[in-house]
Each structure stands twice: as C-alpha cells, then as structure tokens.
Amino acid sequence: MIEAFQYINKAFESKVRLGIMAILMVNEEADFNFLKEQLSLTDGNLASHTRALEELGYIICNKSFVGRKPRTVFQATPQGREAFKSHIEALEKFLKSK
C-alpha cells in the first residue's frame, strides 16, 4: 500500500491544481475566465495555481488580445499530461490495494 504513495504527485494534492489539470486533460485549451468560473476561484487564486503548474512545466500559458481585451489561454503540456495520468493511476492503485 505504501508503494502506491511514491507515485502520487504533490503538485496535484491541491484540489485547485487537480481541477485545472482535469479540465485541461479533457479540453485542448481553456481560458482564464472559463477556469475561474468552473472552479469558483478568485483571479489571484487561479493565477497563483496556474503559475505553479507553469513553473513545473505541466501547463503553458498563451496571452493574446481579442480586440482590445487581453485573453489568457492555458494548455496542458505532454509532460503535464503524463504526470497527471501517473498521478491518477497511483490513486487508483492505492484504492484497489485496500
């Protein structure tokens, strides 16, 4: 049972980061406002969690303008997708070991 814990990724212990990655796993991309609404977060809270995932190389952030409005879009990287899949597999393995 303890063996399963070694593959649990600390980056996804936060329910916010888990939620961000879950959304990005099923959507090719998601913009800042969509993530904010889906996860019921403040701007600052979402920004800090996306920054942490970016620093780990799990997501990328693309900023652009639509007309005069800024638009921030996030995508999961291949590394992030693999890390998230491994995390979910470790959780499943842990649950099955009981």
Side-chain angles (χ1 to χ4, degrees), residues 8-85:
I8 291 178
N9 191 324
K10 286 203 166 281
F12 305 126
E13 284 181 354
S14 160
K15 67 180 181 179
V16 173
R17 291 183 199 153
L18 187 70
I20 291 167
M21 285 304 296
I23 289 170
L24 293 176
M25 291 295 285
V26 296
N27 295 284
E28 190 171 318
E29 64 181 32
D31 71 20
F32 189 90
N33 288 328
F34 178 79
L35 289 173
K36 185 173 118 175
E37 290 170 14
Q38 293 298 306
L39 300 170
S40 300
L41 301 171
T42 64
D43 288 358
N45 198 354
L46 179 57
S48 66
H49 285 288
T50 54
R51 190 173 312 112
L53 291 170
E54 249 188 302
E55 289 172 359
L56 290 167
Y58 292 169
I59 66 172
I60 56 171
C61 171
N62 295 305
K63 295 181 181 236
S64 63
F65 282 89
V66 177
R68 294 181 153 226
K69 289 187 175 186
R71 183 169 187 249
T72 303
V73 176
F74 299 97
Q75 293 178 306
T77 63
Q79 177 187 350
R81 289 183 175 282
E82 188 58 40
F84 190 76
K85 285 178 189 174

Side-chain angles (χ1 to χ4, degrees), residues 1-9 84-98:
M1 175 159 44
I2 297 209
E3 208 175 284
F5 278 120
Q6 75 186 36
Y7 298 105
I8 291 178
N9 191 324
F84 190 76
K85 285 178 189 174
S86 295
H87 178 73
I88 297 301
E89 288 169 3
L91 288 174
E92 288 173 345
K93 188 174 182 179
F94 171 73
L95 292 172
K96 289 177 183 176
S97 70
K98 287 192 160 201

